[in-house]
C-alpha cells in the first residue's frame, strides 16, 4: 500500500518542479530580460513613464543623443515620487503631464491623444525591464504608430515587489482591460 502513495508524491514533486521552472523561465523572459527591438535613430518623441528606477538618466541620455525633438514625462507623484519635470534642454521641447488615471492606462491614453494632435508616427517610451512589454502593449492599444522601448535599470531591491505586481498587472491587461 505504501508504494502507490510514494509514486503519487514523486509525480507531484516532479510536476511542482516543472511548474517552478516554467514560471521562472517565463518571469525572466517577460520581466527581467524582455526581448526588445533596437531603438531607432530618431523618433517623433521620447516619453518617460512614471515608476521606479532611474528613468530620468535613461531619458536624458536619449535626449542628449538627439533621438527626438520632443520629450514628455509622466509626473505621477505617487509613482515617480515627484511632480517636477525634466530640465529644459536646448533644441528639445520638454512636456510634463499627469495622466488620468495615474496609471499606465492613463499614460497610454495621453500618448495616443497627443500623438494624434501632433501627427506623431513613432515614440520611444522609457520604463524599466519589468514594465517594458506591458507598457508597450498598453500604448499600442492607444497609439497606432511605431513604439520602441528604452529600458532603465531597476534597483535590485525593487525586483521583489515588481515581479508579483507585473504578473498581476499583465494578467489584468491581457484579460480584463483589453482596450485603450
Amino acid at each position: 500500500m505504501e508504494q502507490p502513495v510514494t509514486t503519487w508524491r514523486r509525480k507531484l514533486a516532479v510536476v511542482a518542479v516543472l511548474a517552478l521552472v516554467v514560471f521562472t523561465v517565463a518571469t525572466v523572459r517577460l520581466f527581467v530580460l524582455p526581448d526588445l527591438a533596437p531603438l531607432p535613430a530618431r523618433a517623433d518623441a521620447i516619453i518617460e513613464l512614471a515608476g521606479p528606477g532611474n528613468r530620468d538618466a535613461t531619458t536624458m541620455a536619449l535626449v542628449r543623443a538627439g533621438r527626438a525633438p520632443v520629450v514628455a514625462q509622466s509626473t505621477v507623484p505617487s509613482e515617480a515620487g515627484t511632480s517636477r519635470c525634466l530640465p529644459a534642454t536646448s533644441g528639445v521641447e520638454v512636456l510634463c503631464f499627469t495622466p488620468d488615471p495615474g496609471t499606465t492606462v492613463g499614460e497610454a491614453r495621453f500618448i495616443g491623444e497627443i500623438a494624434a494632435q501632433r501627427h506623431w508616427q513613432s515614440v520611444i517610451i522609457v520604463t524599466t525591464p519589468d514594465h517594458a512589454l506591458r507598457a508597450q502593449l498598453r500604448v499600442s492599444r492607444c497609439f497606432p504608430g511605431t513604439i520602441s522601448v528604452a529600458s532603465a535599470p531597476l534597483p535590485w531591491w525593487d525586483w521583489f515587489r515588481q515581479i508579483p505586481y507585473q504578473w498581476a498587472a499583465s494578467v489584468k491587461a491581457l484579460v480584463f482591460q483589453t482596450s485603450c
Side-chain angles (χ1 to χ4, degrees):
M1 214 51 175
E2 178 94 22
Q3 194 166 359
V5 171
T6 304
T7 302
W8 178 80
R9 286 182 181 162
R10 283 186 187 144
K11 287 179 182 178
L12 184 60
V14 168
V15 168
V17 168
L18 287 175
L20 181 61
V21 168
V22 168
F23 177 77
T24 301
V25 168
T27 297
V28 169
R29 178 77 171 93
L30 295 172
F31 307 122
V32 179
L33 300 170
D35 186 22
L36 301 174
L39 295 178
R42 293 277 292 167
D44 293 319
I46 299 164
I47 302 167
E48 180 183 325
L49 304 181
N54 191 355
R55 298 172 190 215
D56 288 359
T58 301
T59 300
M60 292 309 295
L62 294 169
V63 168
R64 285 189 294 278
R67 297 284 181 127
V70 178
V71 62
Q73 180 185 37
S74 176
T75 54
V76 179
S78 64
E79 292 246 344
T82 182
S83 59
R84 69 173 173 78
C85 198
L86 292 166
T89 302
S90 179
V92 176
E93 180 182 8
V94 178
L95 306 171
C96 279
F97 67 98
T98 302
D100 182 26
T103 63
T104 307
V105 171
E107 292 170 328
R109 289 177 183 160
F110 171 82
I111 293 166
E113 290 167 9
I114 194 167
Q117 292 168 5
R118 293 176 171 231
H119 308 289
W120 290 345
Q121 300 298 311
S122 61
V123 295
I124 297 171
I125 56 176
V126 178
T127 189
T128 49
D130 59 298
H131 185 228
L133 296 177
R134 184 170 62 86
Q136 190 171 27
L137 172 68
R138 291 275 195 201
V139 173
S140 72
R141 291 175 176 166
C142 301
F143 171 64
T146 303
I147 304 160
S148 302
V149 180
S151 182
L154 184 67
W156 67 268
W157 57 85
D158 279 331
W159 286 103
F160 299 106
R161 181 173 56 98
Q162 289 302 316
I163 293 296
Y165 175 81
Q166 293 302 342
W167 269 111
S170 295
V171 168
K172 182 178 169 184
L174 289 167
V175 177
F176 301 106
Q177 294 179 341
T178 58
S179 65
C180 178

